[in-house]
Amino acid sequence: MKIRLFENLANIFPYLLILAYIAGCIFCLLIDRIGYLINGSIMAVPAILGSFMFILMKKKDLDFSNKTEVYFSNPSTSVMLFSLFYVFTILAFLMTPAGSNWGLLTILILYAIIFIQILSRRLVPAVVLLEIMLSLTATIYNYTLRPALYFGWTDILPHTYMSTVTYLSGHVIPGELGNYTYFPLYHVFVAISSHILGLDIQTSLFIITGLVFSSTVLFLYYLVNVIFHDEQISLIIALMYAMNADVIYYGTYMVTRTMAYVGFLILLYLLYSLTTSEADARYSTVKPTARKVLVVITVFFMLLVHQISTPMIIVLLGLLFVFELYTHNKIHVTPAFLMVPISLCASYWLFIAYSFLGELAPRTDLSLYQNIAFTDALHHLGLSFLMNNIDTILIVFFALAGAIYLIWKQQPRYSVVLGVLGFLAILLNVPNILSTVFQLVEILRIDRYALLFLPFLAVAMGFGLSIFSRYLTAGRIPIRVVGILLIALVVLYGIGSLGLIKVESDELSYTRDSFNQDEVVGFDHVLKTVPSGSSLYSDHYTSRFFERGKFDQSERLGLPYYISYWMNNDLKTPEESGYIILLENQFQHGGLVFGKGNELDPENIQPYLPTEENVQKIARKLSVEDKIYSNVGVDLYYFSN
C-alpha cells in the first residue's frame, strides 16, 4: 500500500517546481543578482523537463520484472574490446604529457562498452562490475600519478608530511603537529602501505588510496542490489556513480574525510545486508553476528580517520532512521545501533580528543551569521556556465525524474527513502542558491555533506536513466534509435564529467591542483638549503607544501621545519628576516593566490594576477640582489629588514 502523502507530493511536484523557479527569479531580481538568475535558469530548465518527464513515464505501466534489452552484444567480444581499449588508455597515459586528454577519450569508449553490456541480453554482472572499477581506477590515476605532485584542494600536502612523520618515527604524529594525533588511522595506513610497497609516501598514497576508493563501486552495487534485487538497475547506478565528476575528484583527493566516506558506504552496506531474510542468512558466507562485529569495527574506523565526519554521518544516519520509521518498512538503522556511534563519538571527543573541540569554537561565533554573505564573483556565466555543466544538467534531468518516480512508485516501499535522499543529494551537489551563501559553504562546510550524499545522487540518476530507457523501449521508437540516443547521452555525460569541453575562465587562471617538475625541484632545493625554523612567505599552494611544523624529533628524523606564511596582496612581510618563494612562471602565465589565511573571512582569497601594477609591485619588493636561487618554476629570495 502506498503512502498517500508522498504519492500526492510526487504528483504535484512539477507544478511546485515551477512556482519555486518563479520565486527564485523574483528573489534574484530583488537582491540584484542577474548572474544568479541566468545560471539558475540554466539549471532550472532540465529540472522542469525532468519533472514533466516523470508525468509522461507514470502514465505508462513500466515493467520492472524483465531486463531492458537495447543492444545485442557477445560477452566475450565485449570483454576483448574493453581489454583492448583499456590497454590503449594506459599507453595514452604513459606516452602523452600530464595535461593531455587523449587517454580520457579512450575512457569514454570504455564507458560506452560497459553501458552496452549492461543493456544487453547476456549480462554478466561480475565482469561489468570489474570493468567499472578498472575504469574508475584508471581515471583516478590519470590525475594523481601523471603530474609531478598532485595536491587537489591542498590537504594532500600536510597529510603527506604527517604520513612521512608516522613512517619515519613508527608512531602516530606528536601533539605539536595538530589534533590528528587523536585521529591517526589514515597516516598509519599510508605509512604501512609505503613500507609494504617499498615506494615513497607520495606514490604509495596515490596508488593505495585510489584502489580503496574504487572499491566503493563494489559496495554501492551490493547495497543497491539488496534493495532493488535488480542487477541491471544496480549496474547502471554503479556506472553513473563511477562517471560522476565529484566521485572522480574525491577519488583523486583521497584525504581523511574521503576515507571516512569509504567507511560510511561500507557501513551502509553492512547495515542493509543485516536485514536479509533468514533463508539468505543461512547460506551467507558472513553470519549476522560477524556482520554486527564488522559494523562496530567500521564505526571505530571512521572515528579514528577523520575528526568531523563521524558526527556528520551520525546526523545522516538519524535522517535515515526517521524516514524508515515514517515509511513503516524495514528498519536498517535501529535506535540500538545509533547509540553505538553516538556513545563512541561523544566519549572519544570528551575524554580523549577534547582539544579538537577548541578548534570548532570559532565557527560557533554568532557574529559570523548575522549578515548573510553571497558570492559576488561568477566566473562562468551563460554559455560558458552551460558548457562547463553539461554533466550537471544531465544529472538534474535524470536524478530528479528518478527521485520523483521512486517517491511515487514506492516499489519497493523503501524506494521512498531513497527518493527523498536523492532529492536532498541534488540540492547539495548541484549549483543553487545554497552554494552561493558563504556561511553555508565555508563555515558550516555543507560540501562535506555533499560528499556523503553522492551514493544517493547516483541511485536517483541511475534509476532515472533506467526508467527512461524502459520508457523509450516500451514506445514505438525503433530500438536502433533508442540505442543510439542512450549511448549518446552516456558519452555526453562522460564528456562533461571528465571536463573534455570545459571553458576555462581567465579569472580562474590562478587556480591549480598540481605542481610541475620544475617547481618540485625548486621546493626540494628549499628543503635542503633553507635552515629549519626560517620564515617562508609564498602563495597559498606553496605555503601549504611548507606547512611542516617543529616537534621534538624533527632533527633526529632529518625533517626540516618552517614557519610558513600566506602572503597578502600588499606583499608585506611582518618578520624582520625570512625567505620569499615566488613561482614566477605561474605568476606570469596565470597568477598566484594570496590571501589572509583565515577561511572564516569572506575576503580570504586574494587572486594576484599578472597585471602591470602587480608586476611593478613585485619588482619593487624583490630585487635581483636578494635572489639566492632560481629555476624555470621557482625563485627564492632572502630578505632582512
Side-chain angles (χ1 to χ4, degrees):
M1 182 178 177
K2 288 187 176 182
I3 303 174
R4 291 300 175 188
L5 174 62
F6 285 110
E7 184 182 17
N8 293 333
L9 284 175
N11 286 326
I12 66 173
F13 184 84
Y15 311 102
L16 293 176
L17 187 61
I18 293 176
L19 292 176
Y21 171 62
I22 295 173
C25 292
I26 296 173
F27 177 75
C28 290
L29 292 174
L30 290 176
I31 64 174
D32 194 25
R33 293 291 197 276
I34 302 301
Y36 291 169
L37 176 59
I38 296 173
N39 290 353
S41 298
I42 292 174
M43 287 290 106
V45 169
I48 294 172
L49 291 177
S51 62
F52 278 94
M53 176 58 67
F54 154 74
I55 295 177
L56 295 176
M57 290 188 292
K58 77 172 184 177
K59 292 179 179 179
K60 284 194 176 183
D61 187 16
L62 299 179
D63 183 15
F64 289 90
S65 60
N66 298 316
K67 291 182 174 64
T68 303
E69 297 177 3
V70 179
Y71 307 102
F72 304 93
S73 66
N74 185 294
S76 58
T77 303
S78 298
V79 171
M80 289 179 60
L81 281 174
F82 179 88
S83 302
L84 179 63
F85 280 101
Y86 197 81
V87 171
F88 285 159
T89 301
I90 302 302
L91 291 176
F93 288 160
L94 293 175
M95 298 175 64
T96 57
S100 172
N101 288 329
W102 286 106
L104 295 179
L105 291 176
T106 57
I107 290 288
L108 283 179
I109 299 176
L110 297 180
Y111 289 154
I113 293 172
I114 293 171
F115 187 71
I116 289 173
Q117 292 179 77
I118 295 175
L119 293 186
S120 297
R121 178 177 300 176
R122 299 169 63 184
L123 174 63
V124 185
V127 173
V128 174
L129 196 59
L130 178 61
E131 291 175 353
I132 296 173
M133 295 172 64
L134 288 173
S135 300
L136 178 58
T137 304
T139 308
I140 291 171
Y141 286 163
N142 167 66
Y143 293 106
T144 57
L145 294 180
R146 296 177 73 196
L149 177 55
Y150 176 83
F151 54 74
W153 278 335
T154 72
D155 281 355
I156 287 177
L157 299 172
H159 284 303
T160 301
Y161 177 66
M162 287 184 275
S163 298
T164 301
V165 173
T166 303
Y167 176 89
L168 295 175
S169 66
H171 303 283
V172 300
I173 64 169
E176 297 98 309
L177 296 182
N179 283 306
Y180 269 109
T181 188
Y182 303 111
F183 308 94
L185 210 54
Y186 176 89
H187 309 116
V188 171
F189 175 71
V190 173
I192 292 175
S193 300
S194 181
H195 271 293
I196 294 174
L197 296 177
L199 300 173
D200 61 274
I201 291 292
Q202 175 189 323
T203 306
S204 300
L205 185 151
F206 290 137
I207 290 177
I208 295 299
T209 58
L211 292 174
V212 170
F213 189 86
S214 297
S215 70
T216 58
V217 172
L218 182 67
F219 289 105
L220 177 63
Y221 168 79
Y222 283 116
L223 169 64
V224 175
N225 205 37
V226 165
I227 298 171
F228 290 110
H229 302 287
D230 189 311
E231 294 174 339
Q232 188 177 65
I233 292 178
S234 301
L235 286 171
I236 292 176
I237 291 171
L239 178 60
M240 294 301 102
Y241 171 82
M243 292 177 65
N244 185 282
D246 290 328
V247 170
I248 294 172
Y249 182 79
Y250 281 109
T252 65
Y253 195 60
M254 189 66 172
V255 290
T256 50
R257 66 173 177 268
T258 316
M259 188 70 82
Y261 161 75
V262 174
F264 168 65
L265 199 50
I266 295 173
L267 178 65
L268 283 183
Y269 165 69
L270 292 173
L271 289 175
Y272 281 68
S273 63
L274 276 172
T275 57
T276 54
S277 64
E278 287 297 322
D280 292 336
R282 290 193 203 101
Y283 300 102
S284 176
T285 56
V286 183
K287 300 301 181 183
T289 302
R291 290 179 187 268
K292 291 178 181 178
V293 174
L294 289 175
V295 165
V296 177
I297 292 174
T298 305
V299 173
F300 268 111
F301 169 81
M302 295 185 301
L303 180 63
L304 295 176
V305 161
H306 189 233
Q307 318 100 317
I308 204 67
S309 288
T310 304
M312 299 177 74
I313 289 170
I314 290 172
V315 172
L316 183 49
L317 291 173
L319 276 178
L320 272 172
F321 169 70
V322 172
F323 293 149
E324 290 177 347
L325 199 63
Y326 186 80
T327 57
H328 302 290
N329 200 260
K330 289 182 179 179
I331 302 296
H332 303 89
V333 182
T334 63
F337 161 73
L338 273 176
M339 291 307 300
V340 174
I342 291 174
S343 58
L344 286 176
C345 183
S347 301
Y348 195 74
W349 275 33
L350 292 175
F351 298 107
I352 299 178
Y354 50 83
S355 61
F356 175 68
L357 295 174
E359 294 187 8
L360 298 179
R363 298 177 186 270
T364 62
D365 185 359
L366 296 180
S367 63
L368 294 172
Y369 307 93
Q370 290 178 353
N371 298 313
I372 301 300
F374 291 95
T375 304
D376 291 326
L378 287 177
H379 301 291
H380 298 286
L381 185 65
L383 182 60
S384 64
F385 179 81
L386 173 65
M387 298 295 289
N388 286 343
N389 287 276
I390 288 178
D391 57 323
T392 308
I393 289 172
L394 292 173
I395 288 174
V396 172
F397 178 80
F398 287 115
L400 198 57
I404 301 172
Y405 198 91
L406 285 169
I407 294 172
W408 174 80
K409 187 70 173 177
Q410 301 181 22
Q411 290 182 4
R413 190 182 180 92
Y414 194 81
S415 63
V416 173
V417 177
L418 296 179
V420 174
L421 292 175
F423 180 74
L424 294 176
I426 295 171
L427 289 178
L428 289 170
N429 286 277
V430 170
N432 57 72
I433 192 65
L434 296 179
S435 59
T436 65
V437 179
F438 173 80
Q439 282 84 351
L440 292 177
V441 177
E442 297 296 338
I443 300 178
L444 298 180
R445 301 306 302 269
I446 62 171
D447 61 304
R448 306 288 176 90
Y449 271 113
L451 168 62
L452 297 177
F453 273 86
L454 282 176
F456 304 108
L457 182 67
V459 170
M461 184 183 181
F463 191 82
L465 181 58
S466 176
I467 59 175
F468 182 71
S469 62
R470 290 175 190 269
Y471 174 78
L472 293 179
T473 54
R476 297 180 180 179
I477 305 175
I479 196 68
R480 180 174 295 180
V481 176
V482 173
I484 294 173
L485 175 61
L486 291 176
I487 205 70
L489 288 172
V490 170
V491 170
L492 187 62
Y493 177 54
I495 289 174
S497 64
L498 295 173
L500 294 178
I501 55 173
K502 197 169 186 178
V503 178
E504 298 292 344
S505 170
D506 292 337
E507 297 180 24
L508 288 176
S509 57
Y510 54 84
T511 61
R512 58 194 309 206
D513 57 16
S514 62
F515 293 121
N516 59 41
Q517 186 61 41
D518 293 318
E519 291 165 343
V520 171
V521 170
F523 294 163
D524 287 340
H525 177 83
V526 173
L527 293 174
K528 293 176 182 177
T529 60
V530 174
S532 292
S534 301
S535 297
L536 303 181
Y537 293 85
S538 57
D539 64 281
H540 168 52
Y541 302 118
T542 306
S543 68
R544 291 287 280 169
F545 179 88
F546 288 101
E547 283 185 5
R548 299 163 181 256
K550 179 184 180 181
F551 59 100
D552 57 359
Q553 297 187 52
S554 294
E555 285 81 5
R556 186 181 69 84
L557 297 177
L559 294 172
Y561 52 89
Y562 304 102
I563 305 172
S564 185
Y565 293 100
W566 191 355
M567 291 186 70
N568 292 325
N569 276 350
D570 56 15
L571 302 182
K572 290 182 178 179
T573 51
E575 298 292 326
E576 293 185 358
S577 62
Y579 297 82
I580 294 177
I581 303 173
L582 178 66
L583 306 188
E584 178 67 27
N585 188 60
Q586 171 62 25
F587 170 64
Q588 294 293 343
H589 293 88
L592 301 173
V593 178
F594 291 163
K596 299 180 180 181
N598 179 15
E599 63 178 347
L600 302 184
D601 189 335
E603 299 180 355
N604 182 37
I605 299 295
Q606 299 175 353
Y608 200 78
L609 302 178
T611 62
E612 183 177 350
E613 178 186 357
N614 287 339
V615 171
Q616 292 177 356
K617 284 174 64 177
I618 287 183
R620 289 194 297 268
K621 175 69 177 179
L622 305 174
S623 64
V624 178
E625 291 77 11
D626 295 332
K627 185 185 295 186
I628 59 176
Y629 172 80
S630 179
N631 70 7
V632 176
V634 176
D635 289 340
L636 179 63
Y637 297 85
Y638 176 77
F639 69 90
S640 180
N641 296 330

